[in-house]
Every structure is written in C-alpha cells, then in structure tokens.
C-alpha cells in the first residue's frame, strides 16, 4: 500500500509483524496448552510441568473418553440443541427483522416493537420466576427447555434489521412492480442478499447455544440430558465458597481429579466451533458492520 | 413516550394474567402455611427403651424395619459425585442400583429419583430453586441449614416428630438421644422436628496435624509438639530440599478454620494452629466472667494470624493458600510434608499419596500450646438434614424414616456386597454415634493385640454399626504387623489395594491422637445453632471474616487492621448475635 | 441521516403512497407484517415477558408457598435494606470499575490493533492473524476460566515467564488488588479481535488515494496514521462508545462467576454474581430480585440516553 521503504518504515514493519504474531499466538496458546495437557501424563500435569509442550506424550485421556457414554450423550444433546435451536431462532429472527426494517410509515407498530425488544433485552424476572415459568410449560428435563427458555437473542435481531435497512430500496420496488408480496420479497430478495449478516448471526446463535451451560444446570434433572458445557462445568471440579461439604464429598473430590482427562474433554468441546468459524468469519466485516458504520 | 408506557403496562398486565395460573399452580398444597409460630410444640423425642430390640438384617416384621404391604413410591432428589466412575463400571445407574433394588425387594420401598446433580454448588442451586418455587420432591437431603429453615418457615416441610418417635429404630434413637438436645434443636424450627439430623462422629471436630514421619526420621528430628517445634521441622524439611514449602493450606473457598456451624475441618484447614494459640475462631465462647465473646475477636486469634502471616512470608505455608483449586495436589505429588485435618484426613481424605509414593509414611499428632496443653474445640455435630415435603403421605414419611433406619443398620453390610460407593444409598444422611471412631480404634487395637476377640462383642442393635466389619477388616488390611511390639501402624504394614484400606488407615493411624489421648481443654460453643440474629447477619459476617483472615495471612491487609475488623464485625450485626448467644448462655445456668 | 433523506424523497415522489396501496391479494400489508413478527414475539412473550411477573418479588417479603400474589407486600422496604447494606455499595463500585475498564479498553485496544493490522502489506499474513484473533471470542468462559486458572496459576506459564526476570511468583487469582485487572485484561484479550472487525471495516473504506497523495508529499508513516487513519475512525469510535454506555452495569456474569473465589470477593464481586449468591445461596429471594430490578432500570435509562446521544451526535439510530 505504501511505497515508502525507508529504514524506519522497514523497522516498523518488522516490529509490527512481531507484535501481531505475538498477539495471534496468545490467542492460539490456550488451545495449544489445553491440547498439551490432554496428551501429557497425569504426573507431569499434577506437578505443573506442562507449559509449552506435552510431557509424557500419550493419548490415554482420549481413549478414556471413547468409553465415556455420558460425555457422548452430552455431545449429542448439544448438537441437537444447536441444530434445532438455530433453525428455529433464525426463522423467527428473519421473519421479525423484515417488518422491523421498514420505517414507521410502512409498518405502524415498528417503533413500539423495537422498544419492547430493548425492554426485554434489559429486564428479566430473575432465575426463580424463569424456572417456574418453564416448569409451568412442562418443559423441565426436555431438550426444549434448552432451546426455548433463553428466548430470542434480541441483539441479533437488531443486526439483521440494520442490514436489511441498508439494502437498496430499488430491489424491493422492482419486485413490487412485478407483483411480489412481502413473503416473496423476504425469501427471494432479502434473504439471498443478506448472506453475510445471516451467516454471521447464524454463527453467533449456534455458538451461543453451544456455549450455554446455566440452563442445563437449572432445567435438566437427569445428567444424561445435560448439554456439553453443563457437563464440563460439573466435572471441572471447583469447590464452592459457600457450600459445606460432608467428609465423604471431600474425599471424592480430592481423589478423582484428573486434569488431563478434563483437558481432553475441554479440547474436544472446542472442535466443532473451530471447524465452523474460520469459514464464516470472512462475512464478519460486511455482516456486522454495514449497518453500523454507514449511518 | 406516553404510548410506549401504555403498551408496556398492557404487556405487563397481560403477563400477570397469563402467569397467575402458573403462580397458583406452583403454590398447590401451600394452603396451610407454616403459621405455627408462637405455639411452641411440646413434642419430646422417644427413647430406645420404649421399644423392643431392633430386628436383624433379613427380618422385616419389626416396627422399624417392616416391609410395606403395598409398594410405596418415594420421589427424591439427590447429589452424586461428578467424577465417580464406579457406577458405570459396575453397570449400575443412579436410578436403579444395588441399594435401590435392596429397598424395593426387601422392604417394598420404591425409590424414584426425580432428579440428580453433581454435589456441591449445582445441587444447592437446585434445592434452592425448588424451595423458591415450592416444588420439593417427597424427600431430599441437604447440608445447608439455611435451606431447611427457609423451607420450614415457609410451611413446605412435614412435621416428622410423631413418625420419627413411632418408627425410628432403637439404634437411631440411641444415636440421636446420645447427641442430646443439640441434635434435636438443629433439626427443628420453633420446636417442630422438621428434619432428620445428620450426626458426625465427635472426632471429626478435632483437628490434628499430619507429618511425613519418614522425613522426620531421615533428618533425625523429634516429633514436633508445639507450634515452634512444627515451624522448626518445617524449616528443616525445606532446608533439606524435601519440599518447596512445608505446610499445606486450604483450597479456594475453604476457610482456614471451622465455625460453630461446620462439623469438621476440611482438608488442610489450620484449626490446630489456632487452637495451639488458645484461639477458637468462629466459636461463641462463654468467658470466665460469664460473658460470651466471639473467638475470632480475641488477641490470641490475632497472634495466630500474625504467625500464619509470617509463615506465609517465609514461604513455609503454601503461597497459593485459598486460591488453589485442589489442596491435595501437592501433597500427593510429595511436594509438601505437613497438613492438618481431623481423623479422616489421611486415608479417607487422601487416598493417592501412598499410591504415588509408597515411602510416604504419614503420621498424625496433636499440636500443643507453649504450656504443653492440648486444647481442642468441640465440633458441630454435622451438617445433614433430611427434608420431607409437607404433602407427602404418612406412608412416605414412614418410608423415609425406615430408610434411615436401614441405612444406619445395614450400611456396613451393604458396602461389602456391592462395589458402588455407599453415597448412592438414597437419602443417605450419615448418623454415627459420637464416639464411634475412638471406640472402634480402641476395640480394634485390643483385638489386634490379642487382648480380646470378636466374640467378646455384642453387635445386635449396637450404635457402633460398623464394628463387626471393622474387626473383620483388620486381618485383611494389615499384614505382618506385630501390634504388641510396634507402638503404631504405618503404611508399610498395610495392603493398600484392600477395599477397607481407607477406613482402616483413618481409624488406626489418623485417629490415633483423638482416640488415645485426652485433650486438656475441650472448648464448646455456647450454641451450635443459628440464632435469630445469626440468621439475619451471619452469612454476610462470615463472608467478611473469611476475606479478612485470608487477606491478613497473605499480607494483603495488615494485622493492624484487626481492631477495625472487630468493630466492623460488631457493627454489622455481630453484637446482636452475641446478645442472642448471651441469652442462651444465661438461660442454661 | 441518509435514511431520513430517502424517506423525504419517497414522499416527494409519491412513491410512499403507491407503496401503501400495494396489497397482497385482499389482505393489507400491515397484516402480513404482523404475521411475520408474531412467532418471534410469542416466543419472547412466553419466555421473557411472562417470567417478569416475578419482578413483584422485589416489593414483597416473598414466601414461595404463598406465591407471587399471596406474599406480604412490603413496598420499598427491600430497597431500603439494600441501600443500607455495605455489600451493595461495594458491589456497585466493583461493577462500575470492572465494566468501565472493560468498556474503555474494549474501545481502545481494538482500534490500535486494527490500525496495526491495517499497516500490514502481506495479505495472507493479515488474513491469518485476523482469523486467529477471532478465536477467543467463541470460547465459553466455563472453558476459558479453567484455562486461565492454569495459565495464571502459581505454576502457570505467566509465573514461569516472570521467573525468568527474577520476579517472585504471584498468585494472580488470589490477589484482590490484581483481580480486577485480571478480569479486565482477560476480557479484553478475549474480545479485541472480534471488536476490531468494525474498525477494520471503517479502515477499508478510506480512499487509498489519500495515502498515496500524502506519501508523495513526503508524509511519514506516523503522520499518515495521525492525520488520515485516526480522523476517519472518529465517527465509528464515537458511535461505539455511545452504544456501549448501556453496558456500564454489566460486569460479565459468566466470566466473574467462573473465575472468582472468596479471597477476591472484595474486589471481584459484581452485581450479577452477588444477586446470584444472595438469591440462590442465601435464599434472600426478594433482595436478589430487588437488586436485579434496580440494575435493569439503570441500564434502561443508560440505553435510552445513548440512543438519543447517538441520534444527536452521530446521526445514527441504533434501531
């Protein structure tokens, strides 16, 4: 971009390259570190020797996981949750975003709807009423409690709305001339033109579902129905500050910690996301920012 | 803006209407609320001599061990270990396992596990949510008295008094009565017996220290008696390169001493150090002048804190005290040589130290004051409350009490019949005779030395429910040890792979001081229950205290702020708790 | 701004009215629009609005068995009690510091990063770095907290590196004085890559000819950044700053909840974690509900302010 090749400039380029490389490495390190622990020997891990490279390299932890049905059932629950939840909420959000991207003149309730969304984003009844509501609907211990109870991610609706608002109005008007109704316009024009934002939001929503752990703790009664993050939250033994334990609980907690195994589970739980996001990230720049930057 | 407000208001009202059905539904059966305040119940606990001797295992016609004619469904929630793998290895599940089948086949009690979670925080969160939404299952066990009180006050719990008197076995009645009013008090609210209390052995409250005897021997050191001796040994360990730091401290979230509400010091709590300074933090103690004071506000406690801070500064104490997630980690890795706990702290408490390093010969000793006295505090009886839903039928209440009888009588037997841990016994709420571990230690010692034999003991209906199995385990766990000659057992004499290894290790090695030595002073708290003021202020006060203590030890606060701490403590409700405690102390006289 | 102009244009050309006349079949367009928003609003109503009835707990001495409508009404008593609690003030202070720190640094660091990245000539390197730094944004705090406690642990990598410079090992997770910085730092680390997206977009829209012309005039690299790059970012920065105002009371529950411990409560406890503890652990349901409500009200006010500020100064309507 800049043709100036002075010495200062070259030094800057080198230093800048180093800084950026270090930053990138710092973002990769946790992943690498978790992997190293998962393939190191238990003794080395317990002794805190594993820092940069695996020590006592072995795949024992992964072999153990292969036999762990609880882990796999939670992976399945999470996958099911992500697929169903993402489909459902994407559909609802796209449908909502279209009328909301109109001005108040075209969709009269638009501003009221928007403020309701803001209100809903900020206020909540708290954990207990939330639990009671979900129980009242009879969703406790079902996959639906994990999909529906979080409600719609309002912020993402805003993203889609602002993207829709940026689409050239000529497109829509031409369609109207051809006699297309709002449903046709939405599916045939808006959706295909909005791939960047839809792909981005789709990623956010599915990662949101994948990473969520609290609803599992709250709404699920049988650990076989736990999603993966809830399962991990439970095995990564943390002794709580305000809990009194019995003699036996102490014993169990202290006997069974196996950090290499935990790390292997943590590592596996990150894989699906690692496989998907690099392909979608190229949409980020257009998807997230179009609406925001060009006011 | 006006319209907007209106819309929100309309929405809210619509929400209220939609949910009013839900709210009511959540409140079914809550019609009769816990409005029994004012009227003190006149209920008295039965004594065991009112009843015939308990039935032997196998007999099911006894009052306390009867088989139900028709199956009784008991819906429960339970906590399980998140890391235990033995269930799966043995093809069992939480909902259907050896214990549940035993109850179903022998007693016609059909236990249905409505839900279960990992123990600790997740479990507590679940119980709290269920109380808040008034939807407790038929029965569950909680370790938090807070929850028992909340549910009792709110009228969600069944009065268990009459059913307990009618169906509790003699063994159970003996154990609870021996613990005295304290046990009944803690299980009750306003005179109504709302829960079955869990009772721990007394030795659990007695903190001793554990040390690597093999290191002491190697360095030609005497067994430390006082805090100063311990410090010297610790320094010697470090100088000899045995360890980076010598004394382990508690993990994240564990305080450094147990309070009047906690039964047993957790792994690596430092109670022994405080007590060797004549400090009894967390306890409400009646002074010689008859005035009640709080143990965490005394100059002795301050002194102990100063010492711990110095140890921290000098690197004797683990620099990660209160932060590390697992206090056992470094002990097991052989990186430290001293820690503190009560009788279960070795063996039960720390299993793998020996597996990693078969030369690690840990022994336990009391820590004396400079004047050569061994002072201990008398621990709380334990934290366990079996709660039964108010809406449970009489049959269910009866079944819960009978399950408890069965657990107390048959636990030792069942443990030998299955490979899954006894923690999976539904509604398990440990009840042990207060002196069980000392008594057992001494019986085992005399059997081992050939002074008595197994035939000298009566097992039928005894409160020492494990005794028979313990005597039998003696020969399988210890090999080639001449008990008459050696003064104590070591790991070298034991078969570490045996099922009973952990218990035997705890009983014979860790429990030795508590079982064989008599403390010079045993300090009791004026009360072991939450007073009305404590109910209000305690959780905030103890949080403040925890933070202060840890910060002083780790040098983030200077000890000179101790006076400030005392006045804060008093101002934020401590004085009111003290007043309650004073009333209790005066009432007793 | 452009939007509004377009609207005016619409009206002038009479296209707006034509639009209004457009019907699909015989049903009005409004009806179809309503049909589209309804599924989403039903969902939101069932799972967000209905539980809000529980807000009345804040004004009651809540008793579960009496329910939301049968519990004793105590008016503002819970709020008064909350006001008197020294804990509440401490928690508010922590929240403001932690959220404020995150807010500022999450604004500044991504800008610097975006500018640095923008200076890179090698396109492949640029893309790779960009892809990698998004990564932490997608990892949950449940997992990151576990990793952080290892990395910042006593035997962790950070202490190992510090050890090389002769520094005594530090117990990061247990230092009240350092814990807030740790929270802010790890959060910024997690989000800076993702946060830079918006600035990178703004940078790509700068006319390259500007740089060209300036460098021919002999402007140094620093001067280019100072006089071309930075000024062109200012609208975006102002906008992002205003928008994030609404989150000043959000300390980040997931992060703190998974990372903190008793020894750092004094500095790490934020409104959300405190509400969780007094509600579910200490069973003071009403007090928890009360604190949660206050937080929401303040957030709503702040969001409204930032809505109007953004509209006024950046000519931007958030929604």
């Amino acid at each position: 971009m800049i043709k100036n090749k002075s010495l200062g400039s070259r030094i800057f380029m080198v230093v800048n390259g180093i800084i950026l490389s270090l930053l990138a490495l710092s973002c990769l390190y946790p992943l690498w570190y978790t992997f190293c622990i998962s393939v190191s020997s238990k003794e080395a891990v317990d002794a805190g020797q594993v820092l940069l490279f695996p020590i006592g390299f072995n795949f024992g932890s992964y072999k153990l996981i292969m036999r762990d049905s609880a882990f796999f059932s939670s992976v399945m629950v999470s996958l099911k949750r992500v697929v169903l939840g993402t489909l459902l909420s994407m559909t609802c959000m796209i449908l909502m975003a279209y009328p909301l991207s109109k001005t108040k003149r075209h969709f009269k309730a638009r501003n009221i709807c928007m403020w309701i969304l803001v209100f809903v984003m900020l206020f909540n009844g708290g954990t207990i009423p939330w639990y009671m509501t979900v129980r009242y609907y009879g969703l406790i211990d079902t996959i639906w409690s994990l999909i529906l109870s979080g409600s719609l991610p309002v912020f993402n609706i805003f993203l889609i709305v602002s993207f829709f608002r940026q689409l050239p109005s000529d497109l829509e008007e031409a369609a109207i001339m051809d006699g297309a109704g709002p449903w046709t316009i939405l599916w045939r024009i808006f959706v295909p033109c909005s791939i960047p934002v839809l792909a981005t939001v789709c990623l956010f929503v599915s990662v949101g579902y994948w990473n969520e752990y609290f609803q599992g703790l709250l709404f699920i009664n049988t650990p076989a129905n736990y999603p993966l993050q809830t399962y991990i939250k439970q095995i990564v033994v943390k002794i709580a500050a305000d809990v009194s334990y019995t003699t036996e609980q102490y014993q169990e907690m202290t006997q069974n910690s196996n950090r290499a195994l935990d790390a292997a589970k943590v590592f596996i739980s990150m894989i699906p996301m690692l496989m998907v996001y690099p392909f979608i990230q190229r949409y980020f720049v257009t998807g997230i920012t179009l609406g925001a930057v060009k006011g | 803006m006006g319209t907007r407000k209106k819309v929100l208001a309309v929405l809210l009202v619509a929400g209220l209407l939609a949910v009013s059905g839900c709210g009511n539904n959540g409140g079914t059966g809550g019609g009769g609320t816990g409005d029994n305040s004012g009227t003190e119940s006149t209920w008295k606990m039965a004594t065991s001599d009112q009843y015939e001797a308990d039935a032997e295992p196998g007999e099911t016609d006894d009052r306390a061990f009867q088989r139900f004619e028709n199956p009784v469904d008991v819906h429960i929630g339970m906590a399980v270990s998140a890391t235990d793998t033995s269930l799966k290895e043995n093809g069992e599940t939480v909902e259907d396992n050896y214990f549940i089948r035993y109850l179903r086949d022998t007693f016609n009690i059909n236990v249905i596990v409505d839900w279960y979670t990992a123990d600790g925080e997740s479990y507590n969160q679940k119980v709290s949510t269920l109380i808040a939404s008034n939807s407790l299952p038929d029965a569950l066990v909680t370790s938090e008295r807070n929850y028992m009180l909340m549910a009792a006050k709110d009228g969600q719990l069944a009065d268990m008094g009459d059913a307990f008197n009618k169906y509790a076995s003699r063994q159970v009645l003996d154990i609870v009565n021996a613990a005295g009013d304290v046990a009944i008090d803690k299980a009750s609210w306003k005179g109504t017996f709302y829960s079955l209390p869990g009772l721990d052995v007394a030795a659990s409250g007695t903190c001793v220290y554990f040390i690597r005897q093999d290191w002491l021997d190697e360095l030609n050191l005497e067994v430390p008696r006082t805090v100063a001796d311990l410090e010297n040994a610790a320094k010697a360990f470090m100088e000899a390169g045995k360890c980076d730091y010598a004394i382990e401290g508690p993990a994240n979230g564990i305080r450094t001493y147990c309070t009047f509400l906690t039964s047993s010091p957790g792994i690596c709590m430092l109670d022994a150090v405080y007590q060797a300074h004549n400090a009894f933090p967390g306890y409400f103690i009646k002074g010689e002048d008859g005035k009640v004071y709080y143990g965490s506000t005394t100059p002795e406690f301050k002194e102990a804190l100063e010492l711990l801070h110095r140890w921290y500064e000098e690197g004797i104490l683990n620099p990660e005290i209160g932060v590390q997630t697992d206090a056992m980690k470094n002990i097991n890795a052989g990186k430290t040589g001293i820690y503190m706990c009560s009788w279960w702290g070795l063996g039960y408490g720390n299993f793998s130290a020996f597996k990693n390093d078969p030369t690690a010969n840990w022994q336990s000793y009391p820590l004396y004051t400079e004047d050569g006295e061994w002072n201990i505090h008398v621990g709380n009886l334990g934290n366990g409350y079996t709660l039964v839903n108010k809406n449970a039928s009489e049959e269910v209440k009866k079944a819960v009490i009978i399950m408890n009888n069965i657990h107390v009588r048959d636990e030792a037997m069942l443990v030998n019949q299955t490979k899954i841990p006894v923690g999976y016994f539904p509604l398990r709420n440990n009840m042990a005779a207060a002196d069980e571990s000392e008594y057992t230690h001494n019986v085992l010692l005399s059997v081992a030395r050939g002074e008595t034999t197994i035939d000298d003991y009566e097992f039928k209906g005894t409160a020492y429910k494990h005794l028979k199995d313990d005597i039998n385990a003696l020969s399988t766990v210890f090999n080639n040890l001449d008990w008459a000659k050696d003064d104590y057992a070591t790991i070298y004499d034991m078969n570490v792979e045996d099922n009973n290894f952990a218990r035997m290790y705890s009983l014979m090695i860790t429990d030795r001081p508590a079982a064989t030595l008599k403390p010079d002073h045993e300090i009791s708290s004026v009360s072991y229950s939450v007073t009305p003021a404590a109910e209000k202020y305690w959780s905030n006060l103890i949080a403040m205290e925890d933070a202060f203590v840890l910060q002083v030890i780790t040098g983030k606060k200077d000890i000179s702020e101790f006076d400030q701490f005392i006045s804060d403590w008093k101002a934020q409700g401590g004085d009111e708790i003290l007043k309650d405690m004073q009333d209790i102390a005066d009432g007793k006289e | 701004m452009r939007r509004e102009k377009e609207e005016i244009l619409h009206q002038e050309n009479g296209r707006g009215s034509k639009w209004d006349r457009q019907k699909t079949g015989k049903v009005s367009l409004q009806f179809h629009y309503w049909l589209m928003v309804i599924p989403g609003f039903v969902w939101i109503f069932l799972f967000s609005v209905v539980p809000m009835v529980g807000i009345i707990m804040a004004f009651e001495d809540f008793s579960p068995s009496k329910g939301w409508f049968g519990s004793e009404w105590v008016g503002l008593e819970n709020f008064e009690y909350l006001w008197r609690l020294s804990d509440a003030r401490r928690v508010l202070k922590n929240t403001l510091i932690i959220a404020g720190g995150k807010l500022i640094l999450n604004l500044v660091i991504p800008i610097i990063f975006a500018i640095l990245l923008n200076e890179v000539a090698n396109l492949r390197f640029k893309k790779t770095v960009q892809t990698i730094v998004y990564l932490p944004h997608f990892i949950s705090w449940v997992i990151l907290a576990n990793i952080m406690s290892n990395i910042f642990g006593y035997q962790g990598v950070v202490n190992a590196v510090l050890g090389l410079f002769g520094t005594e090992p530090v117990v990061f997770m247990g230092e009240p004085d350092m814990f807030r910085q740790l929270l802010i730092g790890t959060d910024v680390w997690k989000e800076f890559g993702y946060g830079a997206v918006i600035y990178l977009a703004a940078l790509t829209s700068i006319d390259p000819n500007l740089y060209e012309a300036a460098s021919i005039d002999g402007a140094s690299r620093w001067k280019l950044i100072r006089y071309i790059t930075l000024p062109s970012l200012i609208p975006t920065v102002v906008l992002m700053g205003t928008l994030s105002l609404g989150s000043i009371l959000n300390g980040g529950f997931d992060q703190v909840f998974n990372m903190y411990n008793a020894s750092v409560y004094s500095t790490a406890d934020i409104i959300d974690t405190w509400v969780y503890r007094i509600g579910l652990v200490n069973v003071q349901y009403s007090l928890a509900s009360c604190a949660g409500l206050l937080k929401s009200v303040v957030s709503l006010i702040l969001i409204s302010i930032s809505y109007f500020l953004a509209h006024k100064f950046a000519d931007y309507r958030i929604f």
Side-chain angles (χ1 to χ4, degrees), chain B residues 316-336:
Chain B
I316 296 174
L317 202 58
N318 184 356
E320 274 192 297
I321 178 174
V323 175
Q324 56 187 348
T325 49
D326 179 5
M328 285 287 104
K329 195 176 75 183
N330 290 331
I331 297 173
N332 289 346
K335 287 184 171 179
T336 177

Side-chain angles (χ1 to χ4, degrees), chain C residues 56-294:
Chain C
I56 61 172
M57 289 199 310
F59 305 96
E60 294 176 335
D61 181 11
F62 179 65
S63 148
S65 64
K66 292 179 188 156
W68 293 327
F69 303 104
S71 294
E72 194 195 339
W73 187 265
V74 297
L76 296 178
E77 208 173 277
N78 291 321
F79 292 88
E80 281 164 35
Y81 180 59
L82 189 71
W83 187 248
R84 273 185 287 138
L85 273 180
S86 63
D87 254 10
R89 285 191 291 273
R90 189 197 63 187
V91 160
L92 181 66
K93 181 182 154 205
N94 288 342
T95 311
L96 288 176
I97 295 177
I98 293 171
K102 285 180 179 175
L103 199 148
I104 293 168
L105 288 177
N106 274 331
L107 208 59
V108 174
I109 304 287
I111 296 174
I112 298 175
F113 172 73
I115 292 174
L116 287 183
L117 195 66
N118 197 45
E119 295 296 320
V120 171
N122 184 335
L123 216 62
R124 177 173 285 177
F125 178 72
K126 197 170 162 180
K127 282 275 164 227
T128 316
V129 170
Q130 215 174 329
T131 309
I132 291 174
V133 293
Y134 293 151
L135 173 69
H137 176 73
F138 296 100
I139 306 178
S140 72
W141 275 117
V142 175
I143 284 167
L144 275 184
N146 180 260
I147 297 176
M148 290 300 167
S149 75
N150 285 329
I151 290 179
F152 287 96
Y154 196 67
Q155 295 170 322
V157 116
V158 176
N159 271 323
V161 172
L162 288 179
L164 294 179
F165 301 101
T167 316
E168 284 290 307
V170 185
V171 186
F172 290 97
M173 302 300 248
E175 290 282 348
D177 294 342
M178 256 191 255
F179 200 78
R180 283 200 285 241
Q181 287 89 312
L182 190 67
L183 284 176
I184 296 170
T186 49
D187 186 71
V188 169
W189 167 82
K190 186 178 190 289
E191 303 298 341
F192 81 90
Y194 173 73
V197 167
I198 216 155
Y199 303 109
L200 285 170
L203 288 175
T204 48
S205 64
I206 300 174
D207 186 356
N209 293 329
L210 277 178
Y211 289 108
E212 205 74 52
S215 48
I216 289 170
D217 288 350
S220 69
R221 185 181 292 271
W222 167 242
K223 284 215 164 112
L224 293 181
I225 293 178
R226 170 79 179 75
Y227 292 106
I228 300 178
T229 316
L230 276 179
S232 65
L233 281 179
I234 281 175
T236 320
V237 175
V238 171
L239 184 64
M240 295 309 288
T242 339
L243 292 188
S244 52
L245 207 70
S247 59
I248 191 81
L249 287 184
N250 269 333
F253 175 80
D254 275 356
Q255 183 193 17
V256 181
F257 183 63
N258 284 302
M259 274 174 81
Y260 75 164
N261 55 67
S263 41
V264 293
Y265 277 171
S266 57
T267 55
D269 213 4
I270 56 170
I271 297 177
D272 295 317
T273 50
W274 188 67
V275 164
Y276 173 85
R277 285 207 321 281
I278 57 170
L280 281 178
V281 183
N282 297 354
V283 291
Q284 297 171 305
Y285 306 118
S286 288
L287 198 59
S289 172
C290 177
L293 179 62
L294 275 182

